[in-house]
Amino acid sequence: MLTADPGGGTIGRKRDAMIALEKCAHANAQTGDDWHAARCLEQCASLAKDVGTPANIVDYAERARDAYALANRQQRGAEAVGKIASFLDELDPDAACRLYDSAVRLLEDDDKHIYCADFYRGAAAVRVRQERFDEAAQLMMRFGACCDVAGSVNSQRKAYLSAIVATLLADDEFQEPQGPAPRWVRSAGPTATPAPQACRFADARGGAAPSTRAPTPRCLRSAGPTATPAPQA
């Protein structure tokens, strides 16, 4: 349990509020009021993103999830955990994915597969940002199976398409050459293009530089404009 901060300021007040809410959650749990205990712990997690550490956020999120489950409010617990996981997308991506996964399992165990979409997508987005495409593809395959249970055909198609894209990205990353390419694959490099002589000609003659355009082949040259005969009087 965290201790109060004797210092003032916004951070100190938030820390004190978080400690008070944690004590309130403990008191509610002692009296069997799991619903209010869960709500207090969820608020603690929201405050922890400003005054705590990622470990504090995860701890409060998991305790809130368990309290919601004891109150027979699994869907509300999954929503709370998913919201808290979004706080950790950049701070601790692995912890965020664990929370997303716990939200999914909470809903699937309660036969509420239709509400899992946002959590699968959130976890997959984190793995893509980490360039862990294999894991993103596995998540999308699981999401497709979840959509099959829920009867969400359109979401299932998009999930499998996303899994294909992630698999292709993973294959491209795996096949990227790590050492020097074989001699028959190596390129001779870009051919050096001679610098145009425009500046030299302009400096030497004191005037505009001549055109560096290649001459037109004789067969393509025009004979010039054809004179138009004067109209007959």
Side-chain angles (χ1 to χ4, degrees):
M1 182 179 292
L2 299 176
T3 57
D5 184 4
T10 304
I11 299 298
R13 287 193 295 270
K14 285 186 176 181
R15 187 180 181 86
D16 293 343
M18 184 172 63
I19 294 168
L21 285 167
E22 185 176 6
K23 292 179 178 178
C24 184
H26 180 71
N28 284 318
Q30 290 293 323
T31 59
D33 191 355
D34 296 311
W35 164 254
H36 285 96
R39 294 192 63 183
C40 290
L41 290 168
E42 181 181 352
Q43 293 178 56
C44 286
S46 297
L47 290 170
K49 69 184 175 67
D50 295 325
V51 298
T53 63
N56 295 139
I57 299 174
V58 172
D59 178 62
Y60 284 130
E62 291 176 344
R63 290 165 62 187
R65 175 201 63 200
D66 295 340
Y68 276 122
L70 289 172
N72 200 25
R73 299 295 296 272
Q74 286 82 356
Q75 183 179 345
R76 183 68 184 86
E79 292 172 356
V81 171
K83 182 182 73 173
I84 296 167
S86 65
F87 302 156
L88 297 168
D89 281 357
E90 296 182 0
L91 289 174
D92 192 342
D94 291 334
C97 285
R98 288 196 300 271
L99 289 179
Y100 281 127
D101 185 67
S102 68
V104 165
R105 295 185 185 280
L106 196 63
L107 289 171
E108 289 180 343
D109 291 343
D110 200 34
D111 292 330
K112 293 182 178 178
H113 298 74
I114 195 170
Y115 300 111
C116 295
D118 290 340
F119 308 127
Y120 273 118
R121 294 189 186 110
V126 172
R127 291 311 188 197
V128 168
R129 284 195 293 271
Q130 292 181 292
E131 297 186 359
R132 293 163 67 169
F133 301 115
D134 282 334
E135 296 181 35
Q138 293 172 10
L139 283 166
M140 286 294 97
M141 292 297 294
R142 284 179 55 194
F143 180 34
C146 179
C147 291
D148 186 48
V149 176
S152 303
V153 178
N154 290 334
S155 296
Q156 184 182 30
R157 292 169 180 168
K158 293 177 183 178
Y160 287 143
L161 180 59
S162 299
I164 293 171
V165 173
T167 302
L168 292 174
L169 290 171
D171 289 342
D172 289 344
E173 184 182 32
F174 179 76
Q175 294 176 8
E176 184 178 354
Q178 300 296 327
R183 183 177 300 176
W184 59 272
V185 177
R186 296 175 192 169
S187 171
T191 305
T193 304
Q197 304 296 324
C199 296
R200 183 168 29 172
F201 288 141
D203 292 340
R205 299 184 182 181
S211 173
T212 58
R213 183 184 303 174
T216 306
R218 183 178 300 176
C219 63
L220 299 180
R221 295 176 189 169
S222 172
T226 305
T228 305
Q232 298 293 331

